Amino acid sequence: MAPDSPAKPAFKRVMLKISGEALMGDQGFGLHPPTVQRVAQEVKAVHDLGVEICMVIGGGNIFRGLSGSAQGMERTTADYMGMLATVMNALAMQSALEGLGVFCRVISAIRMDEVAEPYIRRRAVRHLEKKRVCIFAAGTGNPYFTTDTAAALRANEMACEAIFMGKNGVDGVYDKDPKKHADAKRYDHVSFDDCLAKNLKVMDASAIALARDNNLPIMVFSLDEPGGFRGVLAGEGTYTRVQ
């Protein structure tokens, strides 16, 4: 290993959860190809260490079900539209990763056989064992559940050892919004129960509860920091561990 390489990764199989907004760059909507490429390079850097990677990507850069519902659209319909948006993001990430030579599979909770594989747990595990990146799309396949919950669910099903939450412009968990409050305090470590009791906005409550009940740590870090994913995996850099 090169001298400037980080220490040996602490985990062998991980879930990377990022928001759809992480892929839109400075745009207010949609996909920004250079940003998608940059995130793909972060994933490749970790994949090159031999780590097995699952991914869940939100759809908020295209359509957010909850906001659609708030504007008068029927909630179930809005949520299904949001699920379709996550499939579009997953396909974009698959294309970027394969362009870098990383084999990848998009696995959808909603059947669309011409576009993505259906979710079959044993098949997905086999993909991981063959060192393919698995991108889980369409959430859980059910309305009223967020992609945070989908990430926690799939992470448990795939026997991941940790969930990595890549945030935009925030390098961990704070007691209040650091973008609005200069005196916001960052936590190096925080418990699942404190996250729920203090409403710290790490993930939604059902996702945190699912991680807590299965003792699955959540590592919150900034996706904007070059090499951040690879560094945090080795215990370096700035991040918050939720456990």
Side-chain angles (χ1 to χ4, degrees), residues 41-212:
Q41 289 169 343
E42 294 283 322
V43 174
K44 181 182 185 300
V46 170
H47 184 266
D48 287 347
L49 297 176
V51 177
E52 297 171 2
I53 303 172
C54 302
M55 291 184 71
V56 168
I57 307 172
N61 57 319
I62 299 171
F63 187 87
R64 187 180 294 278
L66 192 57
S67 63
S69 176
Q71 294 176 26
M73 185 178 293
E74 193 268 325
R75 173 68 188 269
T76 302
T77 299
D79 279 358
Y80 277 121
M81 291 173 67
M83 290 180 219
L84 295 177
T86 71
V87 177
M88 295 172 68
N89 286 337
L91 292 172
M93 182 56 62
Q94 179 187 46
S95 178
L97 285 168
E98 290 183 340
L100 296 172
V102 178
F103 292 107
C104 183
R105 294 290 186 274
V106 172
I107 302 172
S108 174
I110 298 174
R111 290 194 72 102
M112 46 184 80
D113 294 346
E114 291 79 10
V115 175
E117 290 187 9
Y119 176 68
I120 299 172
R121 179 186 170 274
R122 291 175 66 89
R123 182 187 292 177
V125 168
R126 186 64 179 141
H127 286 320
L128 291 171
E129 291 171 348
K130 291 183 177 180
K131 306 304 179 183
R132 297 165 181 158
V133 173
C134 288
I135 307 177
F136 296 99
T140 65
N142 302 287
Y144 295 93
F145 289 93
T146 68
T147 51
D148 282 351
T149 302
L153 174 64
R154 297 295 185 234
N156 280 297
E157 289 180 298
M158 294 297 105
C160 292
E161 297 170 349
I163 298 173
F164 282 72
M165 286 287 295
K167 296 285 189 177
N168 297 344
V170 181
D171 58 0
V173 178
Y174 287 77
D175 61 348
K176 48 192 169 184
D177 190 344
K179 297 177 181 178
K180 297 179 180 178
H181 304 276
D183 61 341
K185 173 190 172 185
R186 188 181 67 81
Y187 297 98
D188 287 327
H189 182 277
V190 64
S191 70
F192 292 121
D193 289 338
D194 278 348
C195 281
L196 293 170
K198 298 177 181 178
N199 194 25
L200 294 178
K201 307 292 186 184
V202 177
M203 303 176 88
D204 67 54
S206 57
I208 292 174
L210 188 56
R212 178 194 61 191

